[in-house]
């Protein structure tokens, strides 16, 4: 059973996109091909709450090839690619996702996935995990464990654990080195530029770009903007990250100061209310705002979309908001993930690493759940290392090994 927008044309387009992505995700493809003969997931129902993109289709089809029954929904109301959803549904995967959902429809889709009674969950933002913990319809459902893909979801899962309410183990895929150092930095860095350019089609060179937050995502976004010739300003609350941004050659200042200088604003924090009404009112006429954190809480989009003098979509995924002070400012993707709403998300090569971590973490839970405590854990080191080895092999990169003399030296006091 599925609920998607579907047509023969969409299915054909989705199949071509899936094949294109899989041909550029050799790490994940190799992992699937290595395991599929033994069907290690046979008899297991997996529930996925992820952005339904061409890259995600490779993970979901791979889980099916390994024997799993797969049910999935979108990780955001605006990020589902309808051709991919239609293709997956045609392949026997239970899909509840379409582009342009209301919040109520988005919530309903998560319900449908949980009604399949999955024993392992893979989440991006923790909406499914939170529902599995606190919705009375699902809180007694037997779940062996879960994985979490993104920074915002990790924050929420930590809060559940800190309250002593975590009822199954959760592997934090986002914390794997082969995830956040590459997906968050290189993936988001490139796809953010892609999303902004598709939405506005303006010159990046010479513009003052304010990057809000200098975690792994902010680092990647700042580096790519700098590479496009932008003058980058960073705002931060963490003194170590602020110092790093300064040493990397970027201007660092409070948001109240950056607000008056920026031409383009990119929020990368995972935190709420980092661009507020008082900031927006001080912006230049023509300033452009967008967010690449998981949730639409970083920019005060309610003030922009509901309390402006007028709002109109002037380009796909770009709203012009005329403020009561007469200034025009612009918001990409209604404050949701600009790199997915206005573009296609991360390139397949980098998602291959993230999704290899996901599939191997699912296998780890299935094998070890009886001895795992109801706690959050990082991706086991052996999985993280294996993904790095597989990635180097896929890229035909060779490295050195320690000589016997070096091993002896390293073990000597």
């Amino acid at each position: 059973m599925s609920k998607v927008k579907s047509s023969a044309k969409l299915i054909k387009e989705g199949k071509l996109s899936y094949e294109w992505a899989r041909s550029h995700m050799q790490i994940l493809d190799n992992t699937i091909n290595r395991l599929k003969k033994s069907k290690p997931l046979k008899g297991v129902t997996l529930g996925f709450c992820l952005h339904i993109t061409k890259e995600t289709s490779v993970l979901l089809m791979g889980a099916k090839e390994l024997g799993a029954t797969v049910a999935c929904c979108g990780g955001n109301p605006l990020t589902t690619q309808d051709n991919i959803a239609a293709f997956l549904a045609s392949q026997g995967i239970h899909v509840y996702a379409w582009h342009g959902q209301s919040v109520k429809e988005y919530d309903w889709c998560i319900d449908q996935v949980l009604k399949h009674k999955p024993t392992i969950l893979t989440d991006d933002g923790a909406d499914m995990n939170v529902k599995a913990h606190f919705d009375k319809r699902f809180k007694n459902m037997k779940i062996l464990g879960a994985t979490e893909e993104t920074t915002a979801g990790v924050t929420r899962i930590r809060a559940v654990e800190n309250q002593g309410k975590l009822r199954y183990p959760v592997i934090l895929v986002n914390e794997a080195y082969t995830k956040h150092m590459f997906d968050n930095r290189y993936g988001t860095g490139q796809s953010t530029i892609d999303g902004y350019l598709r939405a506005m089609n303006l010159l990046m060179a010479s513009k003052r770009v304010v990057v809000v937050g200098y975690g792994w995502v902010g680092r990647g976004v700042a580096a790519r903007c700098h590479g496009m010739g932008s003058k980058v300003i960073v705002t931060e609350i963490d003194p170590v990250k602020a110092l790093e941004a300064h040493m990397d050659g970027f201007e660092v200042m409070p948001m109240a100061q950056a607000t008056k200088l920026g031409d383009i604003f990119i929020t990368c924090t995972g935190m709420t209310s980092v661009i507020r009404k008082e900031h927006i009112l001080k912006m230049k006429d023509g300033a452009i705002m967008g967010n690449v954190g998981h949730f639409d809480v970083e920019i005060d989009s309610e003030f922009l979309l509901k309390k402006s003098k007028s709002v109109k979509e002037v380009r796909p995924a770009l709203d012009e908001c005329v403020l009561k002070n007469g200034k025009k400012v612009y918001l990409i993707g209604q404050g949701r993930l600009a790199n997915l709403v206005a573009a296609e998300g991360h390139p397949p090569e980098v998602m291959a690493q993230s999704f290899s971590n996901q599939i191997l973490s699912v296998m780890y839970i299935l094998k070890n759940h009886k001895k795992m405590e109801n706690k959050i854990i990082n991706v086991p080191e052996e999985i993280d290392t294996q993904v790095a080895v597989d990635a180097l092999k896929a890229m035909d990169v060779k490295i050195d090994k320690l000589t016997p003399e070096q091993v002896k030296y390293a073990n000597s006091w």
Side-chain angles (χ1 to χ4, degrees):
M1 184 182 292
S2 294
K3 185 168 182 181
V4 298
K5 296 176 183 175
S6 188
S7 68
K9 182 175 182 288
L10 281 174
I11 292 170
K12 183 180 179 181
E13 289 174 355
K15 182 174 185 291
L16 290 171
S17 288
Y18 159 74
E19 291 170 347
W20 171 258
R22 187 154 185 167
S23 71
H24 290 84
M25 299 176 78
Q26 189 180 341
I27 318 160
L28 182 57
D29 188 52
N30 290 347
T31 300
I32 293 164
N33 289 333
R34 186 172 69 242
L35 296 170
K36 69 180 180 182
K37 282 187 180 179
S38 63
K39 294 281 195 252
L41 297 177
K42 187 176 181 180
V44 178
T45 299
L46 302 179
F48 293 87
C49 183
L50 300 172
H51 304 296
I52 306 300
T53 65
K54 62 186 185 298
E55 292 77 22
T56 303
S57 71
V58 180
L59 171 65
L60 301 182
M61 289 293 288
K64 183 174 181 288
E65 288 176 38
L66 298 183
T69 297
V70 178
C72 69
C73 59
N76 185 290
L78 298 180
T79 59
T80 292
Q81 294 169 10
D82 286 325
N83 58 355
I84 294 298
F87 165 69
L88 290 171
S90 77
Q91 299 300 301
I93 290 174
H94 305 288
V95 187
Y96 304 91
W98 59 93
H99 180 81
Q101 296 172 331
S102 66
V103 173
K104 186 176 180 180
E105 289 170 333
Y106 171 74
D107 191 62
W108 178 87
C109 288
I110 298 174
D111 287 350
Q112 304 318 300
V113 172
L114 289 174
K115 286 177 181 178
H116 282 273
K117 298 182 178 179
T119 50
I120 300 175
L121 308 180
T122 292
D123 211 348
D124 187 333
D127 283 340
M128 184 176 287
N129 274 305
V130 168
K131 187 177 281 285
H133 277 82
F134 299 109
D135 190 314
K136 63 183 180 181
R137 295 170 296 168
F138 307 116
K139 66 180 184 180
N140 294 319
M141 190 169 72
K142 183 174 175 56
I143 296 173
L144 304 181
T147 64
E148 173 52 49
E149 171 78 7
T150 197
T151 306
V154 168
T155 300
R156 298 176 78 192
I157 291 296
R158 286 193 194 281
V160 175
E161 184 188 46
N162 290 339
Q163 292 172 16
K165 295 180 179 178
L166 198 64
R167 66 184 190 88
Y168 47 77
V170 179
I171 295 180
L172 305 182
V173 167
N174 185 72
E175 305 302 279
Y177 287 110
T178 49
K179 196 279 183 185
H180 65 249
M181 288 180 69
F182 301 93
D183 178 318
N184 297 28
R185 178 166 51 168
Y186 297 106
T188 312
Q190 177 171 312
S191 62
T192 297
I193 296 293
D194 187 13
Y196 269 70
L197 289 179
R198 292 196 203 193
M200 65 185 190
N201 193 29
L202 297 177
L203 186 70
M204 296 287 291
S206 79
K207 297 282 195 307
R208 284 190 178 273
V209 177
V210 178
V211 176
V212 187
Y214 205 68
W216 287 106
V217 169
R219 291 180 182 102
V221 169
R224 296 302 171 275
C225 289
H226 177 68
M228 295 289 288
S230 303
K231 299 170 184 175
V232 177
I233 298 169
V234 171
T235 72
E236 249 300 342
I237 59 164
D238 185 314
V240 175
K241 292 175 182 175
L243 180 61
E244 182 183 4
H246 177 68
M247 293 290 190
D248 284 343
F250 302 124
E251 289 187 81
V252 179
M253 62 184 70
M255 177 58 78
Q257 185 180 348
T259 294
K260 302 170 185 176
L261 301 175
D263 300 302
I264 297 170
F265 294 80
I266 307 173
T267 58
C268 316
T269 69
M271 181 50 66
T272 188
S273 305
V274 293
I275 293 183
R276 301 182 293 276
K277 175 182 174 181
E278 65 263 29
H279 300 134
I280 294 166
L281 291 173
K282 293 177 182 176
M283 287 181 182
K284 294 180 181 180
D285 187 62
I288 299 168
M289 289 166 272
N291 165 55
V292 291
H294 185 80
F295 293 109
D296 60 335
V297 297
E298 304 200 25
I299 299 169
D300 192 346
S301 53
E302 184 173 351
F303 168 71
L304 285 167
L305 298 174
K306 295 183 179 179
K307 297 181 181 177
S308 292
K309 191 187 299 182
S310 67
V311 178
K312 65 179 177 182
E313 188 176 53
V314 292
R315 288 175 55 81
L318 184 67
D319 288 314
E320 177 190 86
C321 304
V322 180
L323 305 178
K324 290 179 181 177
N325 62 13
K327 292 181 183 177
K328 292 179 181 177
V329 295
Y330 298 85
L331 180 64
I332 296 175
Q334 299 176 21
R336 295 190 182 275
L337 285 156
N339 58 328
L340 277 151
V341 176
E344 297 179 61
H346 296 359
E349 296 92 335
V350 77
M351 289 310 300
Q353 294 179 202
S354 297
F355 286 160
S356 292
N357 274 295
Q358 288 283 15
I359 201 75
L360 293 174
S361 293
V362 166
M363 304 273 290
Y364 182 89
I365 292 169
L366 190 62
K367 183 179 178 180
N368 298 287
H369 66 91
K370 289 183 180 178
K371 55 186 178 184
M372 295 172 73
E373 296 181 68
N374 293 346
K375 293 182 177 180
I376 56 175
I377 64 168
N378 290 335
V379 171
E381 186 179 351
E382 62 268 25
I383 291 177
D384 211 353
T385 301
Q386 185 61 53
V387 171
V389 169
D390 290 345
L392 289 172
K393 185 177 179 181
M395 298 173 188
D396 196 27
V397 175
K398 295 176 175 61
I399 62 174
D400 288 322
K401 294 182 180 179
L402 291 173
T403 66
E405 179 188 5
Q406 289 168 332
V407 172
K408 183 180 177 181
Y409 179 83
N411 291 322
S412 170
W413 56 269

